[in-house]
Amino acid sequence: MKFSVVALALATAGSGVYGLEKRIVGGSAVSSSAFSFVTNIVIDGDSSTSVCTGALISPTVVITSAYCVADPISNKALAPNRIAVGQGKISSILGTAGSKVELTKVLAAGYAIPQAVNVHPGYNSIAYSDNVAVLVLEKPLVNATSANVGAKIIKKPSTTTNAAYTAVGWGATSNDGASYPNQLQQTTLAVGSKSVCSEIWAPYTNLTNSLCLAPIKSSSNVCSGDGLLVKVATDQSVGLAGILNLVATEDDVPAVKCTEEGAVDFFTTFSNYIAWLTQITPLKESDFVSTASFSYDSADIGDDDQSSSESESDSDSSSEESSLDDVDSESSDASHSFKLAAPLVAIASAAFGALF
């Protein structure tokens, strides 16, 4: 078994995370107006410039992953002047993914340096704990107003096996990270059973702030931490479920091959950090937490079709969401089985132990 992001992070520890180009591989284009809250976060690295994805939960507050804006060794926040936040296509600004671009060029294109960078105090880049961060802007981005930010956190995202979500991002679109897209990219992911996901990444067994999903097509997946996990509510508002924490795979393949068969994605769920967000931002819970209802279709792994709509209200699903242990009992009754080739538990435990 191999943890793709772990291996790549260790290999590049000397130069930081900046070589980890964020991408949705094999996804499809989607109108950025449908996801007007999505932001690009450009990191000025030592030898290259990289891009992460974030989400505006207010006109001046962006939520993203901690490893995007933290030093990989100290786990502390990068200086704000090494970060720029903006919206829209990045290809015309950065050109080839992985190349070095002066941040002044990015700022000239309408991007802004954040006023504050807040990395969760529990963040650990090796253990993948509390992988969440918040950027506070001095003023709204161009066209970023409360009327069109439009994204709020889902308080109880579904953990039902095969429940379908969408991941979106602006990162590079191929495993070799050759270029950035001209349009926002999306791909569909489905929730995996707790037992299978725990075999691939042992710590998942006891986590309450993580959600495990897999691509419905092996040729399309998020990679290297890119990808906001979202769901459209019944009232057509968009809810934020989380952001990618790591991609793990059973195969000993290059870490950047996130489309390898058997790759599984672990997302940090934003709902676990609502109290923290109210402490570090001027926002109240009602400002950024959705009250909408969400209906989750069932998506079969390896199939583009989505069916068997499972209607569940955000406010009515507390019994399902109260314990991740419920997932295993529900998975046996699911109309589409979640299928991933998983390694033996003993191999998974040994591989994880070797990291610490």
Side-chain angles (χ1 to χ4, degrees):
M1 184 185 69
K2 180 178 180 181
F3 299 106
S4 45
V5 178
V6 170
L8 193 54
L10 292 177
T12 59
S15 58
V17 299
Y18 318 116
L20 295 176
E21 295 308 324
K22 320 302 183 285
R23 59 188 72 97
I24 287 182
V25 180
S28 59
V30 61
S31 171
S32 57
S33 62
F35 300 102
S36 59
F37 55 87
V38 178
T39 68
N40 284 318
I41 302 172
V42 180
I43 308 299
D44 183 16
D46 296 331
S47 58
S48 64
T49 303
S50 65
V51 179
C52 299
T53 298
L56 286 161
I57 58 173
S58 87
T60 57
V61 177
V62 178
I63 191 167
T64 187
S65 62
Y67 88 82
C68 172
V69 294
D71 182 275
I73 305 301
S74 69
N75 294 323
K76 303 299 182 183
L78 296 173
N81 63 6
R82 299 185 70 176
I83 302 168
V85 182
Q87 291 185 296
K89 67 178 183 180
I90 198 73
S91 57
S92 60
I93 303 172
L94 297 186
T96 303
S99 61
K100 176 71 173 178
V101 177
E102 293 301 322
L103 210 57
T104 52
K105 180 180 179 181
V106 180
L107 297 175
Y111 280 59
I113 291 176
Q115 188 176 45
V117 182
N118 300 284
V119 170
H120 193 280
Y123 173 60
N124 185 299
S125 58
I126 300 299
Y128 294 98
S129 59
D130 298 317
N131 192 356
V132 63
V134 167
L135 307 178
V136 179
L137 307 176
E138 183 178 0
K139 59 183 180 179
L141 298 172
V142 177
N143 297 326
T145 67
S146 56
N148 69 7
V149 168
K152 292 188 174 183
I153 291 171
I154 304 172
K155 195 165 188 177
K156 294 186 175 75
S158 177
T159 58
T160 301
T161 301
N162 292 331
Y165 287 87
T166 299
V168 296
W170 275 104
T173 55
S174 62
N175 278 308
D176 60 10
S179 61
Y180 293 103
N182 290 321
Q183 288 184 270
L184 185 68
Q185 298 293 298
Q186 67 174 357
T187 190
T188 302
L189 305 174
V191 175
S193 74
K194 183 181 176 184
S195 59
V196 171
C197 293
S198 296
E199 288 180 350
I200 293 178
W201 190 46
Y204 185 69
T205 302
N206 300 314
L207 291 180
T208 59
N209 64 342
S210 187
L211 190 59
C212 171
L213 299 99
I216 64 168
K217 294 191 302 179
S218 61
S219 61
S220 178
N221 196 18
V222 291
C223 194
S224 298
D226 187 31
L228 287 165
L229 194 65
V230 302
K231 190 69 183 178
V232 177
T234 54
D235 65 0
Q236 299 304 303
S237 63
V238 180
L240 295 170
I243 195 162
L244 190 63
N245 186 12
L246 69 97
V247 178
T249 177
E250 62 170 350
D251 299 317
D252 188 14
V253 296
V256 294
K257 295 208 64 172
C258 298
T259 54
E260 194 74 16
E261 183 176 358
V264 178
D265 311 322
F266 294 89
F267 285 76
T268 298
T269 49
F270 291 145
S271 58
N272 290 79
Y273 300 96
I274 291 172
W276 177 66
L277 288 167
T278 61
Q279 293 170 7
I280 63 168
T281 73
L283 303 177
K284 302 186 299 292
E285 181 174 325
S286 59
D287 294 331
F288 62 89
V289 176
S290 177
T291 58
S293 296
F294 295 84
S295 180
Y296 294 85
D297 293 335
S298 180
D300 192 16
I301 303 303
D303 189 353
D304 289 340
D305 294 333
Q306 297 180 8
S307 59
S308 305
S309 178
E310 303 173 18
S311 296
E312 62 178 88
S313 170
D314 199 33
S315 58
D316 294 336
S317 60
S318 58
S319 60
E320 174 206 348
E321 311 299 341
S322 60
S323 172
L324 288 177
D325 291 334
D326 295 342
V327 176
D328 287 337
S329 61
E330 293 167 354
S331 63
S332 61
D333 297 326
S335 59
H336 297 289
S337 298
F338 176 83
K339 300 175 183 178
L340 288 173
L344 295 175
V345 176
I347 297 177
S349 300
F352 179 75
L355 295 173
F356 296 90

